[in-house]
Amino acid sequence: MITAIREVRRAKGMTLEDVARACCPPTTPQTIGRLEMGTRTVSLPWLHRIAAALGCTTADLVTLPLRETLPVAALLGPRGAVAPRQPRAVSPPCATPGMIAVTVTGAIGDYRAGDELWCEPLAPDSFADAMNRDILVPRRAGGYVFARLAGLAHDALHLLPLEPGSAGVTVPAPAWIARVARLVRTL
């Protein structure tokens, strides 16, 4: 996290000493300086204290890293590639907190070696949200099953394998599953 403590402090015409004294409880100018420079980790309680001392919100003190976008050059459809009628942009993938990944080491189903599958863990009350989707399921004895969720029972999941001709699997209801949310593939 990048902070704007120094910029806000200077814009308000305050010294390190002023901010340190205004903190509740008071602190030292050296501590404020270290927090500004990033040589000391800024925790949420520190942000609240400093924001109160500066008379601003904590959001005013935090600068989020820029997330670049990519301009869309063409739209690809059944008629081929065409230029967009108005400017468009897409954002590169960004993992959300709690996601887990599966790395594909050999071709299986629609997946190729090198693919990365970003998965969202789901609790039992959300298993229905993964119907007809590929999921990672932990087994009670260890290991995992990776398959498509075909059916739910109160005590089991019915899974279809990714390879045609393979038999389906029934797994006793696990504590969690992870639904594939994003495929990342390098060409």
Side-chain angles (χ1 to χ4, degrees):
M1 170 175 38
I2 302 168
T3 66
I5 297 169
R6 172 177 281 164
E7 291 80 7
V8 172
R9 175 181 62 78
R10 286 182 175 169
K12 297 213 175 240
M14 296 177 76
T15 66
L16 291 172
E17 180 75 33
D18 295 335
V19 176
R21 269 189 274 122
C23 279
C24 185
T27 187
T28 66
Q30 292 83 5
T31 298
I32 300 299
R34 288 183 190 113
L35 292 167
E36 282 186 355
M37 297 296 294
T39 57
R40 180 171 176 177
T41 303
V42 181
S43 64
L44 195 53
W46 268 113
L47 279 176
H48 289 304
R49 285 174 67 187
I50 294 169
L54 290 170
C56 65
T57 68
T58 53
D60 294 330
L61 300 179
V62 178
T63 304
L64 297 175
L66 290 176
R67 187 160 173 224
E68 296 295 324
T69 59
L70 303 172
V72 174
L75 306 174
L76 184 60
R79 296 184 208 176
V82 296
R85 293 180 187 202
Q86 57 191 18
R88 291 187 179 194
V90 296
S91 297
C94 181
T96 56
M99 287 185 107
I100 59 174
V102 174
T103 300
V104 180
T105 58
I108 181 167
D110 293 331
Y111 303 113
R112 303 178 195 158
D115 286 352
E116 296 173 0
L117 310 177
W118 295 10
C119 305
E120 301 167 323
L122 300 174
D125 61 343
S126 299
F127 285 0
D129 295 342
M131 281 299 295
N132 298 313
R133 299 280 298 276
D134 293 343
I135 60 172
L136 179 68
V137 182
R139 288 189 175 234
R140 289 185 180 159
Y144 298 94
V145 175
F146 187 84
R148 180 152 300 148
L149 181 58
L152 293 168
H154 72 286
D155 62 346
L157 303 178
H158 303 290
L159 307 172
L160 295 176
L162 301 181
E163 293 295 328
S166 299
V169 179
T170 298
V171 177
W176 60 272
I177 63 173
R179 171 185 59 199
V180 174
R182 184 174 304 272
L183 165 65
V184 179
R185 176 176 287 164
T186 302
L187 301 177

